[in-house]
Amino acid sequence: MSGVGASDRPAATPVTVVTITRTRPELLARAVRSAQGQRPPGGFEHLIVIDDCLDTYRSLRDLPDPPANVRWLLAGRGPRDVSGPGRSSRLRNMAVRICRSPWIAFLDDDNEWEPDHLSSLLECAARTGHRAVHSQLRMVNADGTPYLETRSPWSEDEAEGRAEYERLRAKGVVEPGSCVRRDRLDPLGVPDPVIEVDTGEWMLARELLLDVPFRDSFDARDEADRIGEDDKLAMDLRARREPVSCTELPTLRYYLGGYSNNFSLSFDSTFSWRE
């Protein structure tokens, strides 16, 4: 494992943004630009964890003038390591352990944030006193156009996808003609609950993530139901009755095409839901 600036890191900032990336330097550059548009009080650090990709490492190492708050490390792979939710969980948990900020937010390399994403989350946390706060999102296609299909993109079967969309429409999460998803985490006791918060919507206290890390074991049922690391984290926070609040602002720009909604898996030949 290798990194940049380990010996001269500045004092801890209020937030560390964590990005896990592999083989997508062009998308990563877009995500970094998006993060640099943030202006949270006290600033932030952007920690990029490169998943065993020398090309991505070189693209960052060779930047002529990298932002001062961007740090990166190269995480090598063993012979049994493959892409998938388990690998992503382990890299996220590693990032949590090595950062020093009291708050952590996650920006996937294929997504973007609105400029007020971090500041609105910090305001929400200060107002509520909660250790788990999240935003909402706008769902877009890979080309940036709004996703307006009345079906869930996480269902390979069209009928199941349309049925899930109707369930979420009845719950107020989605609305025909809009790409906004009003994600939320319903508390225990709510019948047919909504448990829909993407990793990129969360800002979580580091102490909470150390206590409730991302789970890294996934089985055949998880694969069939498209259960990812963010789903299991939401389930764990809900099960322990962790207070959660939402900004009610769609400040995450979520691009379709990641492993949870790409059924061809052509983006990474090493991918496996189960290891």
Side-chain angles (χ1 to χ4, degrees), residues 63-120:
L63 286 174
D65 189 23
N69 63 339
V70 175
R71 311 283 166 176
W72 57 85
L73 59 85
L74 177 63
R77 286 190 176 191
R80 297 174 59 88
D81 288 325
V82 296
S83 298
R87 175 70 173 174
S88 295
S89 289
R90 286 188 285 276
L91 293 178
R92 294 187 198 281
N93 290 337
M94 179 186 69
V96 170
R97 291 192 300 269
I98 67 176
C99 80
R100 297 184 293 172
S101 301
W103 292 100
I104 298 177
F106 299 93
L107 177 61
D108 288 349
D109 63 359
D110 56 346
N111 291 334
E112 295 178 288
W113 284 334
E114 298 297 332
D116 60 342
H117 180 78
L118 292 179
S119 58
S120 60

Side-chain angles (χ1 to χ4, degrees), residues 138-205:
R138 297 182 188 275
M139 188 176 298
V140 299
N141 298 301
D143 63 0
T145 57
Y147 179 79
L148 300 176
E149 294 290 327
T150 56
R151 62 171 291 185
S152 169
W154 294 280
S155 298
E156 187 171 12
D157 180 82
E158 182 169 351
E160 290 179 1
R162 295 199 181 279
E164 176 63 7
Y165 182 92
E166 283 304 309
R167 185 183 81 88
L168 294 177
R169 182 194 60 77
K171 296 281 186 178
V173 176
V174 294
E175 180 181 348
S178 173
C179 67
V180 172
R181 284 179 58 93
R182 302 293 181 186
D183 285 342
R184 66 176 191 263
L185 188 59
D186 284 341
L188 292 176
V190 174
D192 188 22
V194 174
I195 310 175
E196 301 275 346
V197 182
D198 183 78
T199 313
E201 295 174 288
W202 284 115
M203 188 181 74
L204 300 154

Side-chain angles (χ1 to χ4, degrees), residues 34 120 143 169 200 210 251 273:
S34 172
S120 60
D143 63 0
R169 182 194 60 77
L210 290 172
T251 53
W273 210 278

